[in-house]
Amino acid sequence: GAGVSQTPSNKVTEKGKYVELRCDPISGHTALYWYRQSLGQGPEFLIYFQGTGAADDSGLPNDRFFAVRPEGSVSTLKIQRTERGDSAVYLCASSSTGTDYNSPLHFGNGTRLTVT
Amino acid sequence: AQSVAQPEDQVNVAEGNPLTVKCTYSVSGNPYLFWYVQYPNRGLQFLLKYITGDNLVKGSYGFEAEFNKSQTSFHLKKPSALVSDSALYFCAVRDTGGSQGNLIFGKGTKLSVKP
């Protein structure tokens, strides 16, 4: 079956611009996660959705970052007034349910964001 | 708070030799531990997990991991390394505290297997 799909795979934008990154999770997965991975580092948690609601957004670095999941499936990560420090690979993952700790997270290939 | 540590930035192994990639953890409560592998320009792929039960866990591609409660370790192992195993390996622990189901990752260990 289809895995987690992220688009675009690469995004280059100028400092100060607005960007949207899309994640299409595995069908039927209710839990969706966004992570950010900088060069040489492990993924860092940004936000977690259970269904349509953001159950935990404690990892979002500041109010320039926002994410939605209006129908409980596809999610969009939105970054306003991008800064060069936002350059990273943004990973999306889904899981059958966030409350079953047995269930592994399934990751997409990521979106590489470069802010020039 | 839950955390994991991967003390080695890089591990070098000759093909056919056994490999070990180290991970130690710190948790409050029962540990839910995972290993993921990342190939260049790809997302993370699940290898194996420890939830409860046998201390030796078997996973994908011939990998296994040994859970050691007294040493709070969860080292990844493979009896005979392949060149194709060269990749970035991440240990992770499930956050059973405030952030439901979130995975907390180590910084990663680069495995290089030479022919």
Side-chain angles (χ1 to χ4, degrees), chain A residues 38-105:
Chain A
S38 300
L39 195 63
Q41 300 295 319
E44 294 178 315
F45 169 73
L46 294 176
I47 187 169
Y48 156 65
F49 287 89
Q50 182 61 42
T52 60
D56 186 343
D57 63 358
S58 62
L60 295 177
N62 52 60
D63 61 5
R64 295 187 297 105
F65 288 75
F66 189 72
V68 295
R69 195 186 185 199
E71 298 179 356
S73 178
V74 171
S75 176
T76 305
L77 178 66
K78 308 180 181 192
I79 310 174
Q80 298 177 320
R81 304 183 303 280
T82 51
E83 300 177 357
R84 292 194 180 88
D86 299 335
S87 296
V89 176
Y90 290 81
L91 295 168
C92 177
S94 70
S95 177
S96 56
T97 168
T99 54
D100 177 7
Y101 299 138
N102 280 318
S103 181
L105 274 60

Side-chain angles (χ1 to χ4, degrees), chain B residues 32-111:
Chain B
Y32 295 81
L33 298 162
F34 298 78
W35 275 101
Y36 282 79
V37 60
Q38 186 175 36
Y39 297 99
N41 300 314
R42 301 295 299 274
L44 283 77
Q45 296 180 30
F46 168 71
L47 277 180
L48 50 79
K49 65 182 179 183
Y50 173 82
I51 307 301
T52 187
D54 289 341
N55 289 342
L56 187 63
V57 179
K58 294 190 182 297
S60 306
Y61 312 121
F63 283 92
E64 56 191 28
E66 186 173 8
F67 173 72
N68 187 316
K69 187 174 182 178
S70 63
Q71 296 185 6
T72 62
S73 67
F74 188 55
H75 300 333
L76 182 70
K77 301 184 178 186
K78 187 172 183 180
S80 179
L82 300 173
V83 172
S84 57
D85 292 330
S86 298
L88 201 52
Y89 290 81
F90 290 95
C91 182
V93 62
R94 206 74 184 251
D95 185 355
T96 57
S99 183
Q100 297 178 38
N102 175 34
L103 278 177
I104 300 168
F105 288 89
K107 63 178 175 60
T109 298
K110 182 179 179 181
L111 174 66

